[in-house]
């Protein structure tokens, strides 16, 4: 009932795009993590310098994992993985500056960031409630209930859409910060920063497409049920 050949039609292209995006991220990171920036600053040092320049009161911590870097707005903490915080590579500087861009958004009360944060509870609830409503709708042959499940599932796609301007803006800030402070000085380094940040951006685009395709698949199932009931 929940899996058929239509699932492959909707989801295989999305999964292939996700795989391509992950390959691109790993490829860009691996390449530019081997290229040391002339500034000699580690990712953590660059983040500290940028934070001081921008008057940001953030704590910088090391976190386990690979590419697990993130900014926590609740504790105003910038968490950098060892491969970023302790590395002087172009990739490390790009990632650290990107995460600091989120700290700047937080300080400025950036609208899309607030919208994304507001959507989190809805997405968390929808991730399990949507399934319940869909399964109940199919089990009871209740089309309206199944449509309600699709609507609840739509929260994931809305969240993925709201994420795009947040991430794109953080990357744009990172590029400007690194150039304006002289942390990135050469055309090669600038190209490396763009490569790393563009690769990361593709993953968010792929996530949105995957969420939309999944939503369309569920909608097609409910439409099929509705036609059978007519």
């Amino acid at each position: 009932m929940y899996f058929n050949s239509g699932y492959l039609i909707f989801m295989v292209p999305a999964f292939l795009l996700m795989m391509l995006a992950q390959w691109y991220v790993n490829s860009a990171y691996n390449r530019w993590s081997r290229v040391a920036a002339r500034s000699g600053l580690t990712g953590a040092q660059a983040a500290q310098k940028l934070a001081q320049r921008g008057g940001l009161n953030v704590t910088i911590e090391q976190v386990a994992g690979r590419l697990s870097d993130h900014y926590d707005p609740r504790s105003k903490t910038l968490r950098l993985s060892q491969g970023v915080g302790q590395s002087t590579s172009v990739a490390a500087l790009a990632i650290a500056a990107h995460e600091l861009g989120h700290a700047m958004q937080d300080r400025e009360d950036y609208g899309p960031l607030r919208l994304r944060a507001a959507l989190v509870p809805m997405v968390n609830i929808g991730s399990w409630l949507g399934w319940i409503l869909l399964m109940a709708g199919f089990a009871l042959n209740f089309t309206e209930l199944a449509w309600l499940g699709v609507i609840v599932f739509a929260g994931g796609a809305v969240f993925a859409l709201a994420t795009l301007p947040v991430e794109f803006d953080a990357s744009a800030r990172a590029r400007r910060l690194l150039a304006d402070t002289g942390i990135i000085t050469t055309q090669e380094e600038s190209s490396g920063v763009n490569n790393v940040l563009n690769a990361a951006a593709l993953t968010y685009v792929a996530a949105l497409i995957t969420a939309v395709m999944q939503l369309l698949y569920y909608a097609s199932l409910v439409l099929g049920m509705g036609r059978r009931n007519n």
Side-chain angles (χ1 to χ4, degrees):
M1 180 183 298
Y2 301 106
F3 179 86
N4 53 36
S5 59
Y7 183 82
L8 299 179
I9 294 174
F10 281 100
M11 298 310 300
V12 166
F15 288 152
L16 290 176
L17 180 58
M18 284 295 294
M19 292 173 61
L20 175 62
Q22 289 300 320
W23 172 84
Y24 187 23
V25 166
N26 289 326
S27 176
Y29 178 74
N30 289 338
R31 175 185 177 185
W32 292 103
S33 64
R34 294 192 295 267
V35 178
R38 292 189 178 184
S39 66
L41 295 176
T42 65
Q45 290 170 338
Q48 187 64 53
K49 179 176 180 178
L50 295 175
Q52 290 174 348
R53 178 186 173 99
L56 293 172
N57 183 22
V58 298
T59 301
I60 300 175
E61 296 180 351
Q62 183 171 305
V63 65
R66 182 176 185 270
L67 296 178
S68 52
D69 314 271
H70 63 279
Y71 171 70
D72 184 351
R74 297 167 299 181
S75 61
K76 312 301 181 187
T77 301
L78 184 66
R79 297 190 173 97
L80 301 177
S81 61
Q82 181 176 352
V84 170
Q86 298 182 13
S87 172
T88 61
S89 70
V90 171
L93 299 182
I95 294 170
H98 174 90
E99 297 305 331
L100 191 71
H102 288 311
M104 295 176 66
Q105 292 171 340
D106 181 35
R107 183 188 62 179
E108 297 170 9
D109 206 27
Y110 183 60
L113 182 67
R114 295 296 167 228
L115 173 61
R116 186 176 71 171
L119 291 172
V120 170
M122 179 182 70
V123 174
N124 289 338
I125 294 173
S127 63
W128 57 268
L129 182 59
W131 275 113
I132 294 175
L133 295 173
L134 268 176
M135 290 189 291
F138 278 106
L140 300 173
N141 201 29
F142 191 175
T143 305
E144 288 77 10
L145 185 60
W147 273 121
L148 182 58
V150 172
I151 292 172
V152 172
F153 262 123
V158 174
F159 180 82
L161 178 61
T163 295
L164 292 185
V166 175
E167 298 300 333
F168 290 170
D169 177 76
S171 289
R173 292 172 188 260
R175 293 184 180 95
R176 290 195 301 269
L177 288 170
L178 292 172
D180 291 347
T181 56
I183 294 176
I184 292 298
T185 58
T186 70
Q187 184 59 46
E188 180 190 22
E189 292 174 349
S190 179
S191 296
V193 168
N194 287 331
N195 190 199
V196 171
L197 296 179
N198 289 341
L202 181 59
T203 64
Y204 297 108
V205 174
L208 172 60
I209 293 174
T210 300
V212 170
M213 294 303 286
Q214 186 176 41
L215 187 63
L216 291 175
Y217 170 67
Y218 292 145
S220 72
L221 291 179
V222 180
L223 284 171
M225 182 177 66
R227 285 193 294 267
R228 290 192 296 271
N229 291 339
N230 292 333

